[in-house]
Amino acid sequence: MLDWLLTVDEKLFLVIQGSGSPHLDVLMIALSNKFIWIPMYLLIAIQYYKRFQIESIISLLCLIVFIGLSDFITSGIMKDFFERLRPCHESKIISKLV
């Protein structure tokens, strides 16, 4: 069952990847960097604060804690548990694209 799932996963990736362009790879890798989103998060937080004033501080602090926890759980715990490379870094799949 796991072999079948891995085969379907690989074929689906190749179909999606084959329909794109190399420039899109660069864009998607850049967008997956969490630091590129900081200006947008700051803008949202500032607008939220302007609208709700003091009441927004507690909810913004909770949001920061929840984002930190979810980042720690997914990248600190789950990533090591699954031990799977991103498809664009998997040499077996990249060789099929060329």
Side-chain angles (χ1 to χ4, degrees):
M1 178 70 173
L2 185 60
D3 290 335
W4 176 81
L5 186 59
L6 291 172
T7 302
V8 169
D9 181 54
E10 181 181 321
K11 286 182 181 182
L12 182 62
F13 174 77
L14 290 172
V15 167
I16 292 170
Q17 186 65 24
S19 64
S21 71
H23 304 293
L24 201 53
D25 288 343
V26 174
L27 175 67
M28 291 301 148
I29 289 172
L31 290 177
S32 68
N33 183 346
K34 61 184 169 187
F35 297 111
I36 201 167
W37 297 100
I38 289 176
M40 184 188 70
Y41 296 148
L42 287 175
L43 181 66
I44 291 170
I46 290 168
Q47 293 299 320
Y48 188 70
Y49 178 76
K50 283 181 180 178
R51 182 169 178 170
F52 296 107
Q53 300 296 321
I54 298 298
E55 296 87 19
S56 66
I57 293 175
I58 293 175
S59 60
L60 286 173
L61 289 175
C62 288
L63 184 63
I64 290 169
V65 168
F66 291 139
I67 289 172
L69 281 172
S70 67
D71 183 55
F72 171 72
I73 291 169
T74 55
S75 65
I77 298 173
M78 293 175 75
K79 190 175 187 178
D80 294 335
F81 178 74
F82 290 110
E83 295 180 353
R84 183 174 179 195
L85 291 173
R86 289 183 179 215
C88 63
H89 297 294
E90 182 100 28
S91 59
K92 176 183 159 192
I93 294 176
I94 291 173
S95 65
K96 292 182 181 181
L97 288 171
V98 180

